[in-house]
Amino acid sequence: MTNQTIPVTQPFLPELSEFVPYLEQIWDNRWLTNNGPFHQELEAKLAEYLGVEHVSLFNNATIALITALQAMRIHGEVITTPYSFVATTHSIMWNGLEPVFVDIDPTTFNIDPAKIEAAITPRTTAIMPVHCYSNPCDVEAIQKIADNYGLKVIYDAAHAFGVNYKGDSLLKWGDLSILSFHATKVFNTFEGGAVISPNAKTKQRIDCLKNFGIVDELTVTAPGINGKMSEINAAFGLVQLKHINIALRKRQVIDTQYRLSLADVKGITLYEQRDFSNSNYSYFPILVEDDYPLSRDDLYEKLKSNNILSRRYFYPLISNMPMYRCLPSAGIANLPQANALADKVICLPIYSDLTDEELSMIIQCISDVNLR
Ligand SMILES: *Cc1c(COP(=O)(O)O)cnc(C)c1O
């Protein structure tokens, strides 16, 4: 037994010595931000790694989401999912737009395309779905609806680093996709994010908006923001990228062991990745059903008293938060699946340095209650 706390996630960090030469280079050339050499290199290397053409780095995904909506000139209402991190809906509000919540599909945890049409009004201009826990949305159905109604699709792909859909990058779907490189994500630059654009013209617009809307020395054409990634963050991303495949493989091993050990625990439902895509093992959500001996919150507390920090993620639902619950679409009756899921879910610790011993402790803690 160890008394050390097991966190729900832990950032992967390479040896510090590997990072130092990058810092020395920054000190040498004194280019700290504004599309510096490491920034350019990371954009190119990420495009190659992710199998996309146009990457715009950002200081975080929230600013990237806000800028993406601005770049697409979205107005009126935006259809989105309540089952996400608050930044998804916040980005809509920061553009002065109205979020409209649509319920999720209980098998994918993503926005249910079958329920989108009923939420469309003459004021709807966009859909902002989330690829929850790296599981792809039903991108084909969503695109069909968007095409029929002339809507833009902006994916919050914060969880979807390196995920493919039917053999090609998932990030190619929709008008734009946004990645997060926050410390808690599988690929991190301490803080960071990116917008994936389908063409050079769109990338140019995004790059302009993330730099105050500056076109050239004398021309500012839009009320852009400061969304630039610094050279330090970009350099760290380059170091991380060298290790990402190993880090993902380690997560995969943990994911497999969880699945083998928890599959037969009565009252625990596992979350299945869709067949035609690959997971990045960013989260390990389990659902605590009624026939499990403990309630979800009791299991959460039990894990905590054993120094295991799980996370009720996503709970509470965005639509139940004080600033959103008054919206017409936020009622519990409109979002039964999302509400049910938020009450059942726990994300278990998963990160590349999680040891076998720690993993066994977690599994033991969850399966033990069934023996009594
Ligand atoms: C992490 C996350 C964000 C926000 O990313 P930041 O880089 O922290 O701004 C947005 N949406 C989802 C779904 C996330 O998980």
Side-chain angles (χ1 to χ4, degrees):
M1 281 288 270
T2 155
N3 287 324
Q4 271 207 317
T5 300
I6 304 173
V8 66
T9 187
Q10 202 174 70
F12 172 78
L13 289 177
E15 292 297 319
L16 183 57
S17 57
E18 227 185 296
F19 189 38
V20 173
Y22 289 81
L23 294 176
E24 286 169 348
Q25 210 169 312
I26 294 171
W27 257 248
D28 278 348
N29 67 20
R30 293 179 184 258
W31 194 343
L32 308 188
T33 186
N34 286 46
N35 200 25
F38 287 138
H39 184 285
Q40 291 173 31
E41 190 181 340
L42 184 59
E43 283 194 346
K45 291 237 162 91
L46 275 177
E48 191 189 334
Y49 181 85
L50 298 169
V52 297
E53 283 196 58
H54 306 283
V55 177
S56 299
L57 294 174
F58 272 77
N59 51 2
N60 63 62
T62 305
I63 296 290
L65 284 164
I66 291 171
T67 304
L69 286 162
Q70 186 188 17
M72 291 285 118
R73 300 179 171 88
I74 303 304
H75 54 91
E77 296 172 3
V78 178
I79 288 173
T80 190
T81 169
Y83 194 75
S84 182
F85 180 61
V86 285
T88 312
T89 316
H90 281 2
S91 73
I92 297 169
M93 295 296 278
W94 271 93
N95 277 277
L97 308 168
E98 187 175 342
V100 175
F101 295 114
V102 164
D103 206 6
I104 56 165
D105 175 331
T107 61
T108 65
F109 302 1
N110 291 325
I111 195 166
D112 185 346
K115 297 190 176 137
I116 290 177
E117 250 178 306
I120 296 173
T121 75
R123 297 186 64 232
T124 310
T125 56
I127 308 171
M128 184 178 274
V130 179
H131 302 299
C132 192
Y133 308 134
S134 87
N135 215 7
C137 290
D138 195 340
V139 287
E140 293 175 51
I142 290 169
Q143 196 55 53
K144 209 171 279 175
I145 296 165
D147 291 344
N148 281 346
Y149 290 87
L151 309 177
K152 300 282 187 203
V153 184
I154 297 166
Y155 282 105
D156 179 340
H159 296 181
F161 184 87
V163 175
N164 286 336
Y165 176 84
K166 295 186 177 172
D168 203 358
S169 174
L170 175 64
L171 305 171
K172 288 185 176 171
W173 285 86
D175 294 278
L176 293 169
S177 287
I178 288 78
L179 291 167
S180 171
F181 307 146
H182 180 253
T184 55
K185 306 299 203 268
V186 283
F187 174 84
N188 90 80
T189 58
F190 283 46
E191 291 271 4
V195 174
I196 311 301
S197 298
N199 53 55
K201 192 164 165 246
T202 308
K203 173 176 161 54
Q204 195 180 22
R205 178 159 171 78
I206 297 282
D207 288 345
C208 173
L209 287 173
K210 80 169 189 194
N211 187 29
F212 310 99
I214 295 173
V215 175
D216 60 39
E217 228 179 294
L218 300 177
T219 323
V220 180
T221 55
I225 200 157
N226 183 354
K228 302 187 301 305
M229 178 183 277
S230 86
E231 282 295 277
I232 290 216
N233 300 97
F236 186 74
L238 287 168
V239 180
Q240 284 286 74
L241 203 53
K242 291 184 185 168
H243 298 274
I244 186 70
N245 286 339
I246 292 168
L248 291 177
R249 262 202 299 281
K250 285 186 180 168
R251 282 173 177 269
Q252 182 178 17
V253 171
I254 295 162
D255 181 282
T256 305
Q257 280 177 326
Y258 267 139
R259 285 180 188 281
L260 288 172
S261 314
L262 296 176
D264 296 329
V265 178
K266 192 159 170 269
I268 297 293
T269 306
L270 304 182
Y271 173 61
E272 301 300 333
Q273 188 76 15
R274 299 177 76 185
D275 283 346
F276 38 76
S277 82
N278 60 299
S279 177
N280 60 18
Y281 314 102
S282 44
Y283 300 90
F284 198 87
I286 60 170
L287 308 187
V288 184
E289 310 285 356
D290 286 342
D291 54 347
Y292 186 75
L294 300 176
S295 73
R296 188 273 306 267
D297 289 347
D298 287 345
L299 176 59
Y300 170 80
E301 292 299 338
K302 185 191 174 195
L303 288 164
K304 198 153 130 187
S305 63
N306 284 276
N307 292 324
I308 300 162
L309 299 184
S310 64
R311 201 171 157 202
R312 287 164 289 191
Y313 191 70
F314 296 106
Y315 169 85
L317 271 192
I318 299 177
S319 50
N320 292 334
M321 291 176 181
M323 59 287 198
Y324 296 119
R325 66 182 173 217
C326 293
L327 290 172
S329 61
I332 291 175
N334 186 45
L335 308 165
Q337 301 294 355
N339 277 276
L341 181 59
D343 288 340
K344 290 198 288 193
V345 73
I346 290 189
C347 286
L348 299 179
I350 186 164
Y351 49 89
S352 41
D353 293 328
L354 188 73
T355 65
D356 288 346
E357 229 181 331
E358 290 169 328
L359 189 61
S360 306
M361 276 175 53
I362 300 164
I363 291 163
Q364 184 96 17
C365 197
I366 297 166
S367 40
D368 241 6
V369 273
N370 272 36
L371 302 175
R372 269 179 257 130

